[in-house]
Amino acid sequence: MRYTKYFIPTYREIPAEAEVISHQLMLRAGLIRKLTAGIYTYLPAGLRSIRKVENIVREEMNRAGAIELLMPAVQPAELWQESGRWDLYGKELLRFRDRHNREACLAPTHEEVITDLVRKEIRSYKQLPVNFYQIQTKFRDEIRPRFGLMRGREFIMKDAYSFDVDEEGANRSYEAMYEAYSRIFTRCGLKFRAVEADSGAIGGSYSHEFMVLAETGEDQLVSCMKCNYAANLEKAEVKAPQAAPAEALSSREDEKPLQEVETPDIKTIGQLSDFLSVGPEMLIKTLIYVADGQPVAALVRGDHEINETKLKNYLGASIVELAPPEIIEEATGAPTGFAGPVGLKVRVVADYAIQDARNWVTGGNKADMHLINVRLGRDFQVDSFADLRVITPQDPCPRCGGPIHFSRGIEVGHIFKLGTKYSKAMKAHYLDENGEERLMVMGCYGIGVGRTVAAAIEQNHDEYGIIFPIPIAPFEVVILALQMHEPEVRETAERLYSDLVGKGVDVLLDDRDERPGVKFNDADLVGIPIRVTVGQKGLKNGKIEIRLRNEKESYQVDVSSGTFEVIGIIQKLYDSIH
Ligand code: ATP
Ligand code: MG
């Protein structure tokens, strides 16, 4: 490609609208332009990167035996009503009516459509397993679209759906996708980690998120420094104490009599802990929730955070929300802020840490009142104990007990075992060897294509711009012809250009009539991995310069013997970082 015949509209200023570096750089490097909130045009160079990710994804999905198709973006409401998601999906689902007043939506995901297709087309166990995938534009009306392609409303996703005859088969399909995803992100040149994620009702470790490691990532991940356990913060388990309630005492304290303490205007854990001069670990937080219409009290230690995903899974409820003030008052007899477990009339579940035999401080279920010396068993009962809290850096690894490490990442892929959720709701059956009807067992597997490019930039950049990994760079080599009007410069650059094109290298020839500084800056900003500089000064000594974007040093290479040697060196460099 020749720069003068191409379109890379770069600029220097940091765009005020962009908070994160990848978003800033994608705008400045002329890769994307915003149309409206969360909706972008992929400019030519940006599209080249997107296509490179897509090609890697396509090759690896094909290699794993998945079959490509392409499903519609517009979907009828009936299918979503059948799966039950029309009412559950909420405002992220963009709904509209056509001229016949029929309801429809813009697809945020394709479980319904693929399940509809498969139930109509696949009858026999002989046709299974099967895994269909597509690379398609999704629409999700995200509440806070931000960070450019990282969280858009319209975005490109690779989504795949596997159908198997049984659990075992589904597990194999899942493993195959795990392997394929590992290859995909490795081939994209990214540092990533697969972490266990919440799999809701399915349980076990049948959901993994693939996280590109970056300090600026939105997601927190927890990994063990001794074994290979890794999970996202929401999923990370806290090792349960081994002994029975009130026996597993890490700080056995002598019993003291229960006592009321007046606590006017004290609402928060911090205020209470200061007021009573006790550490927050001596306090119990009592949170009143409504789980599928029923009030439930959840207890966690004052220095711990409740993990609502764990609570929801433990209760087996579909909707769990903090109770509104009227429900709190009804359950506790007190205004919000004074709930405690003593005398509560609702179901009480507690985190394992509450098993400790301490003289706890709790809410008094009366306005401006707390209780001290509250004892489990004597003063309050718990219906059941479970792991209900967010892990902390002080907790041991739930698998091996080793130390854990917190880090940040960007979720670029997600694999998930669906079980029979959709096949049951939508009657996707097959006939087994005995001619009996059985439900297909499904899995679904997504990769955010645009988010992968953004994450690559978030992970690989410096103060001058992007440092693209070569497999997903818009161009692999840029030739800067510093003085295009000088015959020797032009001829050398043109010869190099056509030789590299002939070798199948993606090369951009900067043939613009611009100052050298402008060309260097643009090459750095766009992040092309190999830069070849052809200038009058160098050519006087028969030299051109080759520099890798991620290295400080440059190579002076002889061109007097023709371009052969130069091409050889570029090829070697190319192979070494490809
Ligand atoms: P998130 O938790 O980030 O909202 P999700 O769990 O809703 O993502 P999935 O439904 O698992 O996402 O979608 C599969 C993949 O699609 C994600 O791993 C991510 O890479 C990508 N993706 C999801 N939402 C967006 C978005 N709004 N913009 C860009 N990519 C997205
Ligand atoms: Mg996800």
Side-chain angles (χ1 to χ4, degrees), residues 80-307:
W80 286 73
Q81 281 153 355
E82 221 188 317
S83 72
R85 285 209 288 187
W86 187 254
D87 295 327
L88 284 179
Y89 213 96
K91 290 195 169 161
E92 269 189 31
L93 186 65
L94 184 63
R95 303 154 209 247
F96 53 92
R97 286 173 189 275
D98 67 13
R99 63 163 72 199
H100 304 294
N101 208 28
R102 283 185 292 241
E103 280 190 294
C105 62
L106 271 187
T109 177
H110 281 71
E111 283 82 3
E112 281 79 2
V113 172
I114 195 72
T115 308
D116 179 57
L117 182 85
V118 168
R119 71 177 167 185
K120 287 174 176 156
E121 303 296 330
I122 292 186
R123 299 246 142 262
S124 159
Y125 72 97
K126 290 182 191 153
Q127 295 165 284
L128 296 173
V130 66
N131 185 347
F132 289 115
Y133 79 96
Q134 63 176 345
I135 298 174
Q136 193 261 1
T137 299
K138 300 276 181 276
F139 193 91
R140 293 182 181 179
D141 206 354
E142 299 268 358
I143 181 165
R144 264 185 297 280
R146 54 187 182 159
F147 307 156
L149 299 195
M150 204 78 91
R151 184 169 300 283
R153 292 198 296 157
E154 185 179 301
F155 58 97
I156 302 174
M157 195 201 286
K158 184 287 298 175
D159 46 330
Y161 306 89
S162 65
F163 295 80
D164 275 89
V165 294
D166 56 16
E167 289 290 322
E168 243 180 31
N171 297 350
R172 273 196 299 274
S173 294
Y174 186 91
E175 293 303 323
M177 285 298 102
Y178 187 101
E179 293 304 317
Y181 275 43
S182 303
R183 292 182 60 91
I184 287 167
F185 296 117
T186 304
R187 279 188 58 189
C188 286
L190 299 171
K191 289 187 275 302
F192 69 96
R193 179 110 208 216
V195 303
E196 288 183 17
D198 177 48
S199 53
I202 308 256
S205 55
Y206 282 110
S207 174
H208 283 87
E209 285 168 350
F210 285 74
M211 300 276 194
V212 165
L213 304 174
E215 274 162 35
T216 49
E218 270 191 288
D219 294 296
Q220 269 211 309
L221 42 127
V222 175
S223 47
C224 178
M225 284 149 81
K226 262 172 85 185
C227 73
N228 61 4
Y229 180 77
N232 69 20
L233 193 63
E234 173 186 79
K235 166 80 178 175
E237 297 155 34
V238 177
K239 211 175 162 76
Q242 300 302 309
E247 301 290 322
L249 313 180
S250 60
S251 62
R252 190 189 294 266
E253 284 190 323
D254 290 339
E255 261 188 56
K256 289 185 192 158
L258 179 69
Q259 208 183 313
E260 283 189 342
V261 182
E262 278 199 44
T263 50
D265 295 328
I266 287 188
K267 290 275 162 65
T268 67
I269 290 286
Q271 290 168 342
L272 185 62
S273 141
D274 288 347
F275 183 75
L276 297 174
S277 307
V278 293
E281 74 284 356
M282 297 308 293
L283 274 45
I284 291 180
K285 272 193 274 197
T286 305
L287 299 145
I288 311 291
Y289 284 90
V290 179
D292 289 349
Q294 295 298 316
V296 182
L299 312 183
V300 290
R301 225 167 69 181
D303 57 335
H304 290 155
E305 285 298 320
I306 184 97
N307 180 327

Side-chain angles (χ1 to χ4, degrees), residues 476-525:
E476 295 160 328
V477 176
V478 58
I479 300 172
L480 305 187
L482 295 189
Q483 304 86 9
M484 225 19 210
H485 49 273
E486 291 294 329
E488 207 191 347
V489 170
R490 186 173 63 241
E491 276 158 32
T492 310
E494 288 282 356
R495 206 164 56 226
L496 269 173
Y497 175 66
S498 66
D499 284 356
L500 284 169
V501 169
K503 288 195 173 290
V505 175
D506 262 339
V507 49
L508 177 69
L509 172 63
D510 192 345
D511 55 351
R512 292 176 298 171
D513 186 18
E514 286 282 3
R515 282 178 295 116
V518 171
K519 297 190 176 195
F520 286 124
N521 285 343
D522 279 341
D524 279 351
L525 180 58

